[in-house]
Amino acid sequence: MLKKVLMIVIIVFVLIVALGCTKQEEEEETDETTGEQTEELSLVKKTKKEGALTIEYPEASGLTSNQKDLLNNSVQNFLDHVIQEVKDSKIEQIGYIISYKDTSELSLIFQGKKEMGGEDGEYLNSFNYDLSKNKRVTLDTYIDLKDNENKEKLNRFLARESGEQLGKEIVYQKGMEFYFENMNDEKNVVFYLKEKEEDLEYKKIRALEEDVQMYTIDELSKK
C-alpha cells in the first residue's frame, strides 16, 4: 500500500514539473509588450515589376504583428518612392542583401545601378531595424549629431579611418547614412555617402561597432 502511495506521489510530482516547464517555455516565446506569441524572423524574397524596373524585396513573417508591420510597411514605402523616382532617372534593376541579422537587429541594403550622364552609377539605400524597440534606425537616431563636441570627435574618427581606407579624409555631411555588416564574424558599422551628387559611387568607411559605440546616442545617455 505504501509503495502505491509513493508511486502516485512521484507521478503527480513529475506531472507538476512537466507542466511548469511547458508554461515557462510558452512565456519565453511571448513578447512582453504585446502578449503575442513570437516566432523567428523569416524573410521571403519577392519581385515587383513597374515598367522597365524590376525590384527584389523581402517580405517579413514571424515576430510580433507590430514588428512585422514595421518591416513590411517601411519596405512598401520604399517601393512606392523608388517607383516615383524611376520616372526621373533610369533604374532598371534593384536587388537587396541582408548585411546583418541577429535576434534584435537587422540591416537590409537595396542596391543597383542607375544611369548617370551616360554612365552606370551606384544606387544604394539601407534599412536598419532595432527589433527589440520596434523601430527603424537611421544615422541621426544612432549617432548623436546634435552634440557639437560629439560630432567633432566623430569627424576626427571618420577622417582617420577614411584616410587609412580610402586615402582621403572624409567627415560627416548631409546625406551620409550607415548600415550594419557581418564581416569575419564581427559586427561592423559601414558609413556611406556621395560627396557630390554627380559621383558615380558611394564612399564607404568601415569600422568595428565597438569603436563607434562611444559616439552613439545609447552610449552617451548612460553618462
Side-chain angles (χ1 to χ4, degrees):
M1 181 69 180
L2 181 59
K3 289 183 178 180
K4 289 184 179 180
V5 172
L6 288 174
M7 184 64 68
I8 293 172
V9 170
I10 291 171
I11 292 172
V12 171
F13 176 78
V14 170
L15 288 174
I16 290 173
V17 171
L19 288 172
C21 291
T22 302
K23 183 178 180 181
Q24 183 178 7
E25 290 175 359
E26 291 177 351
E27 289 175 351
E28 289 174 350
E29 295 176 354
T30 301
D31 180 77
E32 293 181 356
T33 58
T34 64
E36 295 182 57
Q37 294 298 311
T38 60
E39 299 176 17
E40 185 177 353
L41 169 64
S42 175
L43 296 172
V44 178
K45 182 179 288 188
K46 300 285 186 177
T47 301
K48 184 178 182 66
K49 293 182 179 289
E50 185 74 21
L53 174 65
T54 301
I55 310 174
E56 293 179 345
Y57 66 96
E59 184 175 87
S61 61
L63 304 175
T64 66
S65 59
N66 286 340
Q67 291 169 328
K68 182 173 64 179
D69 288 346
L70 169 68
L71 268 65
N72 289 337
N73 289 342
S74 62
V75 169
Q76 185 58 55
N77 290 337
F78 163 73
L79 295 177
D80 294 341
H81 171 75
V82 170
I83 290 171
Q84 184 65 34
E85 181 182 350
V86 80
K87 296 177 181 179
D88 304 317
S89 60
K90 295 180 181 178
I91 306 174
E92 294 186 355
Q93 181 80 35
I94 294 177
Y96 77 92
I97 62 172
I98 302 169
S99 62
Y100 187 84
K101 177 185 175 185
D102 65 15
T103 56
S104 62
E105 292 181 308
L106 172 71
S107 279
L108 302 173
I109 307 173
F110 288 90
Q111 54 190 5
K113 299 291 184 182
K114 61 187 297 186
E115 194 277 328
M116 297 178 63
E119 298 185 79
D120 284 338
E122 182 181 13
Y123 180 88
L124 177 62
N125 204 331
S126 61
F127 287 74
N128 309 296
Y129 302 95
D130 183 339
L131 299 176
S132 66
K133 297 179 181 178
N134 198 37
K135 68 177 185 179
R136 183 181 170 190
V137 183
T138 56
L139 187 60
D140 60 356
T141 60
Y142 178 60
I143 301 288
D144 191 344
L145 298 170
K146 295 180 180 179
D147 185 309
N148 289 330
E149 182 180 355
N150 190 61
K151 188 175 177 180
E152 288 177 6
K153 290 178 181 178
L154 173 68
N155 280 337
R156 288 196 293 271
F157 173 79
L158 291 174
R160 184 178 68 250
E161 293 297 317
S162 59
E164 293 177 359
Q165 297 174 33
L166 306 174
K168 179 181 181 181
E169 293 189 355
I170 295 174
V171 297
Y172 169 79
Q173 68 182 57
K174 186 177 180 181
M176 178 180 278
E177 268 302 337
F178 87 104
Y179 55 87
F180 295 118
E181 176 185 69
N182 188 341
M183 181 175 286
N184 300 323
D185 293 326
E186 292 184 309
K187 185 179 181 182
N188 282 350
V189 178
V190 182
F191 300 90
Y192 68 92
L193 84 159
K194 284 188 176 182
E195 293 182 286
K196 299 177 182 178
E197 189 175 346
E198 61 269 22
D199 288 349
L200 295 178
E201 296 183 345
Y202 286 88
K203 301 288 194 305
K204 301 180 182 73
I205 308 166
R206 287 176 167 82
L208 291 173
E209 185 199 30
E210 60 191 49
D211 294 334
V212 177
Q213 197 70 36
M214 68 180 72
Y215 311 111
T216 64
I217 292 174
D218 285 349
E219 189 66 23
L220 291 172
S221 66
K222 297 176 183 178
K223 297 181 179 180

